[in-house]
Amino acid sequence: MPSAVPACADVPQPAHPLRHRPVDARARYRFVRAETLARVQGLTAEDQTLQSMPDASPTKWHLAHTTWFFETFLLSGLAPGYTPFDPHFRYLFNSYYEGVGERWPRAARGLLSRPTVAEVMAYRAHVDRAMEAWLDGGALDAHTAALLELGLQHEQQHQELIITDIKHALMLHPFPPAIFPAPAPAEPAGQITWRAVPAGLYAVGATGKEDFIFDNETPRHKVWLEAFEIADRAVTNADYLEFMADGGYRRAELWLSDGWAVVRAQDWQAPLYWQRGEEGAWQVKTLSGCRPVDPNEPVCHISQYEADAYARWAEARWPGARLPTEAEWEIAAGEPPVERALDDGSFHARVTAGFYGDVWEWTASAYTGYPGYRPPDGAIGEYNGKFMSGQMVLRGGSRATPAGHVRKTYRNFFPPATRWQFSGLRLARTP
Ligand SMILES: [Fe+2]
């Protein structure tokens, strides 16, 4: 049953120094909320109710949950006289915040035929009106402004999940619809070249100059790195096809034990969304239709197990090849992220050379707190810290990642068997 709506005093007050650069809060709120809706333009109401697996949520749930965040953490405690749209929504659209109360099970979100998509859109409009009226009411103190920005960054994280989750659902359809424009062919990737990074004591983590950071990017701290080299581009489909042709999915010696167990249990033979065409050549299902695998695109939709196995296989060609640690990745990520001007609305990774930010890159690092890390007090402290177990770090960003989230210190994290995110890899090696 839905829990009672807590009193205003339950609104969390993050002790952590959430930081962001002052902006026109109302304009920024509108911009982020509009971007979310832009991403779902091509979806039917029926599409938006699908839940294809426990890890993925219906589009409709994302639209409501991001709205719930503003209602729960801002409006309910800070906007005088605010009336919740529907008290049941506090239960239905709480994701994982124990501090907010009970919640509907994650794996059963697809069973929520009610509220309808139209009602969720009315919920968004209700909260938007209240938020904009509240933002018109005067300047926010630093703490409240930071909480608002956290809500916007949270919505942007869900913008990416909206894409990855609906992709997983639609790709299970026997005739997947093309809901986005097809990308242009990828530029030739070229051979991997290696950039040497000398051994030394390096500082990693947020510098304080970022427009915004999540708590898990702090504290900045020093790490000793032995000399290493890092590839100038992500691993391509052409690279990965060589691994597959060399028996990559059939050679137990290339795999971590847990990874090999998943390969066997799931009968993995290729990245997620790949399938054999009539002529036997590999094709890839995308949000803009099914087409031949482009050898120049970065390999995408692979698990950390597959990334690790590929790196082990690649050692025969490049002695010392392996996945980078997240600290190595951060120190080596000197190039600017992928030009967002290349965004073509396809939500499909296709750039490798000289960039990061087109495909998430698995690292060899387990997701843990940095030395001295403390989550914020209150329910907001549940945002990142409680997930620091059993997950691996990815760095960079993908075509589905909002531009402001692509930065050197950003830490994405998923369990190692995860494949439905836009995940690939870049090699490092020990000279
Ligand atoms: Fe969330």
Side-chain angles (χ1 to χ4, degrees), residues 2-281:
S3 60
V5 177
C8 297
D10 287 354
V11 171
Q13 301 293 314
H16 191 274
L18 295 168
R19 295 196 293 262
H20 79 104
R21 213 162 269 171
V23 292
D24 179 341
R26 192 172 187 273
R28 176 150 168 72
Y29 178 86
R30 278 193 170 183
F31 171 80
V32 172
R33 297 284 282 173
E35 170 62 20
T36 304
L37 297 185
R39 291 189 175 209
V40 305
Q41 285 290 310
L43 301 178
T44 66
E46 290 81 2
D47 292 336
Q48 295 188 46
T49 303
L50 290 172
Q51 181 175 28
S52 57
M53 61 173 170
D55 282 345
S57 298
T59 305
K60 183 177 72 174
W61 186 90
H62 287 296
L63 295 177
H65 163 70
T66 49
T67 305
W68 167 95
F69 194 99
F70 291 110
E71 182 174 74
T72 302
F73 293 134
L74 287 157
L75 291 174
S76 293
L78 301 172
Y82 174 75
T83 304
F85 181 81
D86 183 330
H88 293 139
F89 285 11
R90 188 175 180 91
Y91 172 82
L92 291 178
F93 300 119
N94 178 5
S95 52
Y96 53 67
Y97 294 88
E98 302 285 349
V100 176
E102 296 294 319
R103 70 212 69 91
W104 179 250
R106 182 185 193 194
R109 290 170 183 165
L111 297 177
L112 297 174
S113 59
R114 315 287 178 97
T116 64
V117 169
E119 288 164 339
V120 166
M121 294 304 294
Y123 177 40
R124 287 183 70 90
H126 172 86
V127 166
D128 286 348
R129 278 192 299 275
M131 284 293 295
E132 295 194 16
W134 175 61
L135 292 172
D136 283 343
L140 305 178
D141 61 46
H143 164 75
T144 308
L147 198 52
L148 170 66
E149 183 59 26
L150 180 65
L152 294 169
Q153 297 278 337
H154 169 256
E155 178 137 354
Q156 290 184 310
Q157 289 186 313
H158 278 274
Q159 288 170 359
E160 176 148 8
L161 294 174
I162 283 172
I163 300 299
T164 56
D165 291 3
I166 195 62
K167 180 172 185 177
H168 190 262
L170 294 180
M171 294 308 105
L172 292 173
H173 193 285
F175 310 107
I179 60 171
F180 295 126
E187 298 290 325
Q191 293 300 307
I192 284 178
T193 60
W194 300 86
R195 187 157 70 83
V197 180
L201 192 61
Y202 293 93
V204 299
T207 63
K209 297 175 183 168
E210 296 84 0
D211 288 345
F212 173 87
I213 52 165
F214 285 106
D215 58 354
N216 61 6
E217 298 168 63
T218 67
R220 188 166 173 81
H221 61 284
K222 294 186 179 67
V223 295
W224 175 265
L225 298 179
E226 299 297 338
F228 68 99
E229 297 179 350
I230 192 145
D232 67 336
R233 63 163 173 79
V235 169
T236 63
N237 287 332
D239 299 328
Y240 201 80
L241 281 162
E242 289 186 52
F243 161 75
M244 291 165 57
D246 198 29
Y249 281 94
R250 300 189 302 274
R251 293 168 53 186
E253 74 272 17
L254 296 174
W255 294 79
L256 293 168
S257 176
D258 288 348
W260 184 243
V262 180
V263 168
R264 299 289 297 272
Q266 304 288 327
D267 193 27
W268 284 353
Q269 299 182 30
L272 185 62
Y273 304 136
W274 287 29
Q275 64 182 14
R276 293 279 192 188
E278 289 181 5
E279 308 279 305

